[in-house]
Amino acid sequence: GHYTGGRYFFPAVGQNGAIAAVGDEIGQVVPVWRSFSNKLMFRKIDDGASDWTSHLCYLASPTVNHTSETVTAQPFSWTSDAVSPAAEADTILSTYDLYAEVRYECPEFVDSCSFLKLTGTSSICDLAGGYTYRVHRNSACGEPVQWDLPPNVSLLGQTDTTVTLKFPSFGTYRIASTLPFACSPIKDSLFVVAASRSHPLALGNDTTICDNTSFVLHAGTGFLRYAWQDGSADSVYRVTMPGTYTVQVADSCNNLLTASVVVKPYPDTVVDAGPARVKCNTDTIQIAAPAGYLSYSWSPNYNISSLTTRQVVVDPAIDTVYVLKAGTIPGCFAYDYVHIKVNHSPPITLGPDKDLCAGDSLLLDAGPGYSQYQWSTGVGTEGIAVYNKGTWWVKAVTADGCLSADTLQVLNVFPLPPVDLDHSAGLCTGETRTLTAAKGYSYLWNTGSTAGSIAITDTGSYSVVVTDGHGCVSTDSVKVTTFLPIPTGFLPGDTAICSYGKLEITPTAIFPSYLWSTGSTDESITVAKPPGVYWLEATDANGCYGTDTIVISKKDCMEGFYIPNAFTPGGASNNLFRPLLFGNILRYEFGIYNRWGQLVFQSNQPGAGWDGNHQGAPAPSGVFAWYCRYTLDGEPQQVQKGTVILIR
């Protein structure tokens, strides 16, 4: 660029906002100005100036070559390591004018002011000493140097080309020098960093302190010496009360550095643990302290879920005050309390689950002291009576709104043990009656007996209590008032029969039941084998029984086989032909043949005889042959044969 114009005389019409690259590596853009070097430079065209020259950059060449480059996008693979919140923040940027060095090609023009260079120490430590900064310019340049120094920097001395400065504190300072009367302003600047080789001195921000607490201020290590406001020379200082605390230290460059911190009393903090609460019986209450405190401490340790959490659950059985101690800053606390009032409803005790016996009832009573009752049956009374198997519950509410409840189950309703005594009022004379309860239970008679039955022989009242395994009880009683006569003399007198005869024995009176000595329970029996003694036990309508006896003797009777030798059918007597057997017949066969050998009659039935007919017609008179085969009790088989004359 032309050093006298302060511009780059290259036209670039219509390229507003673009970045122009001008110059070349050999330093010759236009032949007319071969006397200066023009390295490759960049400039933003049309910088917003309002004059007409903003559209012309005074470039000598009328053309600017633009080369378009094709950029081929390659696929990208992105990896997200983490996601963190970002916040937008305003940043104040510091800007400075920077000027490049402009030199002539060798040899220099001694009569020109075209070069300026500022030198000096850019890193300092000692704030008590002075530092000199020098400018270098063309040897023949006689222009005065104009300095631009930071505020608060002390100027200890100045010459035509130097300044000696003292820096007030650590920090970064910009020193600039200018040759203002050159054809184009010539400037140079230098940044000076004033820093201690020790670490920075800092006591921290102003803070607060609570009563009866303390904390330590740390000035840091690495300083040569320390001096606190009270003369203490340690690197730390313990603060026990409000005030202003100051320390002066000497750093490694022997700079005296001072830091202060103001400690104020910590303001009282009110923490709100909530209003007073009311609960019933074993209900629980949740208490929540505000968030944001360093720590939480609850007391007393009585039916509380935790002593150190922000939210706690309490279930005191009596009125209790819970105190909250909340940590605000280390060593400082705020306090509040919550009063828990406990209302009680009387407990309801319906008792353990039960079994009932049939016919029993169970009275369930919730007890007094409630304003409202509700039973599972739907009634609202204090008590109910239940009879059946099932689940029964009650809920009762007091005037304070506290609820009590209980549940009882009737598990089973057992049937009563059976018992049915003989309730006859009469007792058979001379007899013993047995009163029997049901089997398989426990018994208690009014006689004191615990047996399942008792025998009674006298009039009176008799009762029994029968208890089963479930405790269910049945009772029964009987009252015996009269002695009843027993049956007597109801069999006929003693008698005798033939050995082969039979006798039917029938009592002289009718009874509801009979038991013969033969085992028969019929009203009568037939006796076939004398002699013998037979008895009958007869029970009358009153249940009284008596026994009577009959003696059956054997009498002398005809025995053996008898048969006639002639008979006349159809007569008033002797009209059947048959044998007569006396005895107990075990086997019998009787047959008749005519003279031609034909069988005209045969029977196996004792006592059956021939009526003189054959094949439905009367047989002619004459002689007929017969046989009889029989066996009597106790004798061998006999066979008798003979003839008979049929007479018409």
Side-chain angles (χ1 to χ4, degrees):
H2 197 289
Y3 74 92
T4 60
R7 297 177 179 172
Y8 301 99
F9 295 92
F10 304 100
V13 179
Q15 298 297 321
N16 295 351
I19 299 295
V22 296
D24 56 30
E25 290 297 330
I26 61 174
Q28 293 181 349
V29 178
V30 288
V32 67
W33 289 320
R34 302 178 60 87
S35 59
F36 61 88
S37 173
N38 190 13
K39 289 292 184 179
L40 187 66
M41 302 180 181
F42 293 88
R43 172 159 180 179
K44 183 176 181 180
I45 301 175
D46 301 331
D47 56 5
S50 60
D51 63 323
W52 66 274
T53 61
S54 63
H55 302 289
L56 294 174
C57 292
Y58 297 96
L59 294 178
S61 176
T63 60
V64 176
N65 294 329
H66 300 274
T67 301
S68 300
E69 295 294 335
T70 301
V71 179
T72 302
Q74 298 297 323
F76 290 91
S77 177
W78 297 93
T79 300
S80 177
D81 292 335
V83 177
S84 60
E88 181 178 323
D90 293 333
T91 301
I92 299 176
L93 301 178
S94 298
T95 59
Y96 306 96
D97 292 334
L98 299 179
Y99 293 84
E101 295 181 10
V102 180
R103 292 175 180 269
Y104 286 105
E105 294 179 351
C106 291
E108 286 187 339
F109 290 149
V110 297
D111 59 349
S112 173
C113 290
S114 62
F115 170 74
L116 184 68
K117 179 67 175 177
L118 177 61
T119 61
T121 303
S122 61
S123 177
I124 67 170
C125 173
D126 184 7
L127 299 179
Y131 294 88
T132 300
Y133 295 89
R134 183 182 302 274
V135 293
H136 305 270
R137 55 187 175 177
N138 304 82
S139 58
C141 179
E143 287 188 33
V145 176
Q146 188 178 62
W147 295 91
D148 182 9
L149 301 177
N152 301 326
V153 173
S154 300
L155 180 61
L156 301 181
Q158 183 176 1
T159 68
D160 182 43
T161 58
T162 65
V163 290
T164 301
L165 306 176
K166 179 182 178 182
F167 296 91
S169 60
F170 295 143
T172 301
Y173 301 89
R174 178 178 177 271
I175 304 172
S177 60
T178 305
L179 295 176
F181 303 111
C183 295
S184 178
I186 305 300
K187 294 185 178 183
D188 195 12
S189 61
L190 178 68
F191 284 96
V192 178
V193 177
S196 173
R197 293 184 179 89
S198 304
H199 63 77
L201 173 65
L203 293 180
N205 298 326
D206 293 346
T207 185
T208 57
I209 190 171
C210 298
D211 293 340
N212 301 318
T213 62
S214 66
F215 63 90
V216 175
L217 293 176
H218 295 268
T221 60
F223 295 103
L224 299 180
R225 57 186 178 274
Y226 303 84
W228 293 88
Q229 76 285 342
D230 62 352
S232 173
D234 200 351
S235 63
V236 296
Y237 189 89
R238 178 168 293 278
V239 177
T240 59
M241 64 182 63
T244 300
Y245 295 86
T246 304
V247 64
Q248 186 181 70
V249 300
D251 68 0
S252 59
C253 295
N254 207 29
N255 295 308
L256 295 180
L257 308 177
T258 302
S260 297
V261 64
V262 176
V263 179
K264 297 180 179 180
Y266 190 82
D268 293 336
T269 300
V270 177
V271 60
D272 186 7
R277 309 285 287 277
V278 179
K279 67 178 286 284
C280 290
N281 300 326
T282 59
D283 295 346
T284 60
I285 288 182
Q286 185 181 65
I287 306 175
Y293 290 88
L294 297 180
S295 63
Y296 300 89
S297 176
W298 297 89
S299 63
N301 186 11
Y302 169 60
N303 289 358
I304 186 170
S305 61
S306 173
L307 295 178
T308 58
T309 58
R310 184 174 73 87
Q311 294 183 339
V312 295
V313 176
V314 298
D315 58 343
I318 59 175
D319 292 357
T320 304
V321 175
Y322 290 94
V323 178
L324 169 63
K325 177 183 177 183
T328 54
I329 62 174
C332 296
F333 301 94
Y335 296 86
D336 196 14
Y337 65 90
V338 179
H339 180 265
I340 306 297
K341 178 175 176 55
V342 183
N343 292 327
H344 291 278
S345 57
I348 297 176
T349 304
L350 298 181
D353 295 343
K354 294 182 178 297
D355 294 324
L356 293 182
C357 299
D360 288 352
S361 63
L362 178 63
L363 179 61
L364 302 180
D365 190 353
Y370 298 95
S371 60
Q372 183 180 354
Y373 299 87
Q374 180 185 357
W375 289 89
S376 53
T377 59
V379 302
T381 58
E382 180 180 330
I384 62 172
V386 297
Y387 307 88
N388 302 320
K389 177 181 177 181
T391 300
W392 315 93
W393 55 261
V394 63
K395 297 178 181 178
V397 181
T398 64
D400 296 327
C402 293
L403 173 70
S404 292
D406 197 14
T407 300
L408 177 141
Q409 274 190 300
V410 176
L411 303 175
N412 299 284
V413 178
F414 295 110
L416 299 181
V419 57
D420 186 13
L421 301 179
D422 182 357
H423 294 88
S424 300
L427 178 64
C428 300
T429 303
E431 289 186 3
T432 298
R433 182 193 301 177
T434 300
L435 298 179
T436 302
K439 294 182 179 180
Y441 302 100
S442 298
Y443 314 93
L444 179 60
W445 297 85
N446 62 338
T447 62
S449 173
T450 58
S453 60
I454 61 172
I456 61 173
T457 58
D458 200 355
T459 58
S461 295
Y462 302 91
S463 63
V464 65
V465 177
V466 180
T467 306
D468 65 10
H470 304 296
C472 295
V473 176
S474 293
T475 62
D476 198 7
S477 63
V478 59
K479 188 174 183 179
V480 179
T481 60
T482 307
F483 285 107
L484 302 174
I486 61 174
T488 58
F490 45 80
L491 288 182
D494 297 341
T495 185
I497 61 173
C498 299
S499 61
Y500 50 83
K502 295 181 179 180
L503 176 64
E504 183 178 15
I505 305 175
T506 301
T508 58
I510 298 176
F511 299 97
S513 63
Y514 307 89
L515 178 60
W516 294 87
S517 56
T518 62
S520 173
T521 57
D522 295 332
E523 181 181 355
S524 61
I525 61 173
T526 299
V527 177
K529 289 186 177 181
V533 177
Y534 299 87
W535 55 262
L536 170 62
E537 182 181 275
T539 304
D540 62 14
N542 295 318
C544 297
Y545 62 90
T547 303
D548 198 7
T549 303
I550 182 173
V551 178
I552 307 298
S553 303
K554 181 179 179 181
K555 66 179 180 179
D556 293 334
C557 298
M558 184 181 294
E559 297 182 6
F561 178 85
Y562 300 95
I563 191 169
N565 56 12
F567 81 104
T568 301
S573 61
N574 197 25
N575 54 1
L576 286 178
F577 176 64
R578 60 184 176 182
L580 297 177
L581 285 173
F582 300 98
N584 186 17
I585 302 172
L586 301 180
R587 182 179 178 188
Y588 175 81
E589 182 181 346
F590 176 60
I592 300 175
Y593 296 89
N594 62 19
R595 57 184 177 179
W596 293 284
Q598 294 177 315
L599 182 64
V600 297
F601 175 79
Q602 188 178 38
S603 175
N604 296 102
Q605 181 66 38
W610 183 41
D611 59 1
N613 294 324
H614 177 56
Q615 296 179 350
S621 300
V623 177
F624 291 84
W626 58 267
Y627 76 92
C628 182
R629 183 179 294 109
Y630 62 91
T631 301
L632 297 178
D633 190 12
E635 297 182 5
Q637 177 177 295
Q638 301 289 329
V639 178
Q640 302 288 341
K641 298 180 180 179
T643 59
V644 62
I645 299 173
L646 174 60
I647 302 173
R648 295 281 183 188

